[in-house]
Every structure is written in structure tokens, then in C-alpha cells.
Amino acid sequence: MYDIDIRVAELYDQLERDTQDVDLIQGFMNASKPVRILEPFCGTGRILIPLALAGHQLHGLDQAKGMLARARMKVALLPDKVKARIQLEEMNVTEDVWPRGFDVLILGGNCFYELGSPEEQESCVITAARSLKPGGYVYVDNNHHPEGPLSKKWQVEGVFPAFPTGISWDGTHFESTKETIWWDVEFRLIKIKREINITFADGRVAKKEMVQHKHPVSKEEVAGWLENHGFEIIALFGDRQGNLFDDESNRAIFWARKK
Ligand SMILES: C[S@@+](CC[C@H](N)C(=O)[O-])C[C@H]1O[C@@H](n2cnc3c(N)ncnc32)[C@H](O)[C@@H]1O
């Protein structure tokens, strides 16, 4: 979805302006000196750029050329010494080898919802452990689905407005919808059909369709993967304001240390 048109990255930045998670990460890191940070699923650099501005070395990975192009455009506007601290790499993080030797690794921005199965999500935790130095930290931030069968909230028929919808700088209009076309209650798996209608400024139109697979992940699953793959959970928050996780929480945000 992020690579259907280069302008999707601009619409992403129009929509996602919140940086409370960046403040949370900085609070967790409490770093008195610069550290090396890896961010798979880095997108347009919403998290990565402010961390580089704060003095850290950042390496971002993403498979979408359009998202990386926008990240590079934003990086190009930074002072030279900050630019020199940022490396961006095109990569499918479920297939390719992640670089190693990092102090901190960020799995932020709901990135597990980009993956279609618990196996793929768990393999990110395994790979994160390999990429970190001993004693390094991982930040994992996703919506929390309660353990057990697929919630009724996800079992909804109908066509709904979706991202990317909006107007880019050159007047291109995007109008998108999503429809859940299949679900498995027991295994908590979903297929979503997305339809993206693009009207370019010169009047040309284009229509794209795709099917995405999702596995709404639970706090218990992420905790289990972290514990089974060599991490000690240091903190578990239920929102980006820094409140502890409780029964009402709809996010599960982990800060965990590689043993
Ligand atoms: C919701 S955006 C989040 C971007 C950023 N982490 C943030 O919080 O703003 C998800 C990003 O994950 C990337 N992505 C999804 N699947 C991927 C994969 N298998 N390998 C690499 N990147 C992937 C998409 O291209 C997109 O840029």
C-alpha cells in the first residue's frame, strides 16, 4: 500500500504527526551519550529523524521506495552533522538480513500490523535479538488485541473509508476504502481488501486493489516472544503518555533488555 504511488508518503506525513512515542523512547533510553539505533519499518522517518536530531546514530530499514524517498528528502534538509548520523536502507525486513551491533532497536508505529501472521511477528523479535548488542534494548509498540478469539470489533462487514485518503501538494486526490473480506476467529487472522482511487491533477484516474493479511497481536504474545528469545521485560506501558498497562489498555508498549 505504501508503494502504490510516491505521494502516499506525503499523505502519511499529513496524517501521522504525533511524536509522543519519540518522547517515550527518549525517556526509556535515558541516554547520557549518543547510541546506535536500528529502526526496521522506519517509513518516512517520523521516529528516526528526531532521534538523530537528539544526537544518536540512526539506521532505518523499509521496503517502500516512496516512503524512503520522502525520508531522504526530509533528511536532506537537516544540518550536515545530523545528516551524517542517518543511514537509510531499502529492505524487506521479513526476508533480508538486518545489520547488527546496535544499542537500541525500535519496532514502533504498530509495525506488527504490517505483518500477516504471528510467525512473521515473532521472527521480528528473533531478528531484533540478533541485531542488538548484549545489554541492548528493544522498544515494541502495537495496538493490543485481548488474548483469545478475534474480537467482534474486527468481525465487521462493510466498506469503510481508509488511508490513503487526501490531497497531495500537486493536487492529486486519493480516496481509499477497506473491507474485511475474511476472518478466522480462533487463529485471529484477517484479510482486508483495500481499494485506492487516484485522480491526478490533469484528470487522469487510476484504481488499485490489494489484499492485506493481518494478525491482531496480544500483549501476551509479544511478552512471550520477548521472554523466549532472550529479552528481559523492563517496562510495559498501555499508552504513549506513559501510563502502565492495565485491563483497559488498548496498546502494549514494551521496553525490554537483551540478556
Ligand atoms: C505504518 S508505517 C510506520 C512508519 C514508522 N515506523 C512510523 O511509525 O511512522 C509502516 C511502514 O512499514 C513498512 N513495511 C511494511 N512491511 C514491511 C516489510 N516487510 N519490510 C520493510 N518495511 C515494511 C511500510 O513500507 C511502511 O513504511
Side-chain angles (χ1 to χ4, degrees), residues 24 236-246 249 251 253:
L24 199 58
L236 170 57
F237 285 178
D239 60 38
R240 290 177 179 169
Q241 289 76 50
N243 293 301
L244 293 179
F245 185 92
D246 65 25
S249 300
R251 300 199 75 74
I253 303 177

Side-chain angles (χ1 to χ4, degrees), residues 47-72:
I47 298 175
L48 174 152
I49 290 173
L51 292 175
L53 282 165
H56 303 294
Q57 294 275 347
L58 270 297
H59 191 136
L61 312 173
D62 203 285
Q63 69 179 1
K65 289 183 172 55
M67 297 294 269
L68 282 178
R70 185 161 176 93
R72 289 198 173 102

